[in-house]
Structure formats: structure tokens, C-alpha cells
Amino acid sequence: MLSVSISGTPDRPVDWLSLVGTLFDPTRTIVPLDALFPEGLTSEQRTEQNASMMSASQLSATAAALKRLGEPVEPRLRVVGVDEAGPSAGVLREGDAIRRADDEPVTGLEELREVLGRAAPGRAVRLEIMRDDAIEQVDVEPETGADGTRLLGVTVTEDYSSPSTSSWNSTRSVGRARAWSSRSRSTIS
């Protein structure tokens, strides 16, 4: 099990004297504050982000527990927002469920990130989507971010459903880095 503890925030930085012990403790690391707290992110947004990540973690744990108990759990990746200036504008819509990317099954965010990461710049990725109870094929040419990641410019939710429970979900962003809102979001590569 990994445990992470952070000392200091942009609002309450740690003084240099408190960091001296870290220099002699191989289990601790000093990291610049801006690596953990992006510029422009308020304390309220950080608190909301942390709560959203905890909620997403609890949803994943629930799905894992149901699977371990032998319950069928069906993961899905559903579009809940499209960046009007992104590469998916006019192609993907809210409510679309992404089922495959370049002929590979996609049931979660990491699988989609892997397929996008292998896509060559300038080449469209073929997505199989479920839209209004019909399966469709669409092509989206991902943008290349400043760090080389491939971006679709959509926000997706990782849904889970099981016959013995109701559906539940966790929302993340697939595209441009953006401020955190009331849903858990992360940039997809």
C-alpha cells in the first residue's frame, strides 16, 4: 500500500527549516509546490478535486468488490461533454458511449489513453460509439498537446453497472487541461 502525505500548500508553504529532515530521510521527497498545485487553482477547487478523486476511487473499489464477489460488472465510457474548440466538436455528442478505438475494446479511460498514445500525429482514430441505441463508426483526429499527448477534447464518465445494483459513474476529461468543476476530471493522453 502506498501512502502519500503533503506538507504545505500555496496558501501555507512549509518553511525551509522544516524541510531539512527530508534531506536525510530516503522515504521522503521534496517537490516544488507548483508540481502539486497548478497555478490558478484555488483552495476550493483543490478541495473539490480531492473529493471528486475520492469518489471516483470509491466507485472503482465498489466495482472491484462486486467483481470479486462474482457479480457481473459492465464498465462503459460515456461522453458527458465536448470541447467546442476541440477535435471531437461536431463528431462526438454528449451521451455517446465509446466502445472501441482503432478496433480495440475500450471500457475505461486508461484503455482509451493507450490507443490515443499510439496514434501517429495527423492520423484519425476510428471510434465505435453507441448513439441513441445504434452503433456508429466515427473518425476523430486527436490534437497533440504541448507534452506530446494525444487529446480528443471531450469529457467522459466511466460508468459501471451490475444487474444486482444500480448504475454509477465517475467523470473525467479527455482533452484539454481545464479547471476542476463539480465532477472529477483528468486530461487524457
Side-chain angles (χ1 to χ4, degrees):
M1 175 184 258
L2 173 66
S3 180
V4 177
S5 175
I6 299 173
S7 298
T9 67
D11 303 328
R12 300 181 82 190
V14 175
D15 62 82
W16 286 104
L17 188 58
S18 299
L19 296 175
V20 171
T22 303
L23 296 173
F24 304 103
D25 184 349
T27 65
R28 296 173 61 191
T29 304
I30 298 173
V31 180
L33 278 177
D34 60 358
L36 301 173
F37 302 97
E39 189 175 326
L41 195 65
T42 67
S43 295
E44 292 79 20
Q45 289 170 320
R46 279 192 306 275
T47 299
E48 189 175 301
Q49 174 185 6
N50 291 339
S52 294
M53 286 189 295
M54 176 58 81
S55 176
S57 176
Q58 290 169 336
L59 291 173
S60 294
T62 300
L66 286 171
K67 283 181 185 178
R68 180 80 171 126
L69 291 171
E71 293 290 330
V73 176
E74 299 174 20
R76 297 174 297 217
L77 202 57
R78 189 172 312 280
V79 176
V80 294
V82 180
D83 184 341
E84 293 176 11
S88 296
V91 180
L92 294 175
R93 295 186 214 154
E94 287 186 28
D96 289 347
I98 301 172
R99 300 165 43 101
R100 300 179 77 79
D102 280 347
D103 293 324
E104 294 185 37
V106 174
T107 58
L109 192 58
E110 290 309 313
E111 293 166 333
L112 183 57
R113 282 183 171 153
E114 288 175 19
V115 173
L116 292 176
R118 290 191 303 266
R123 184 183 75 74
V125 172
R126 166 123 328 161
L127 300 175
E128 178 183 287
I129 62 171
M130 174 73 79
R131 177 181 289 162
D132 300 325
D133 296 322
I135 296 174
E136 297 183 23
Q137 305 283 326
V138 297
D139 293 322
V140 178
E141 185 178 325
E143 291 178 336
T144 302
D147 62 354
T149 57
R150 308 290 284 141
L151 310 172
L152 289 179
V154 298
T155 303
V156 299
T157 186
E158 292 177 311
D159 287 334
Y160 301 94
S161 67
S162 175
S164 62
T165 65
S166 60
S167 295
W168 64 101
N169 66 59
S170 165
T171 303
R172 298 183 184 186
S173 177
V174 183
R176 303 183 191 290
R178 43 180 104 183
W180 291 80
S181 68
S182 63
R183 297 187 168 173
S184 173
R185 299 173 192 247
S186 65
T187 302
I188 207 172
S189 55

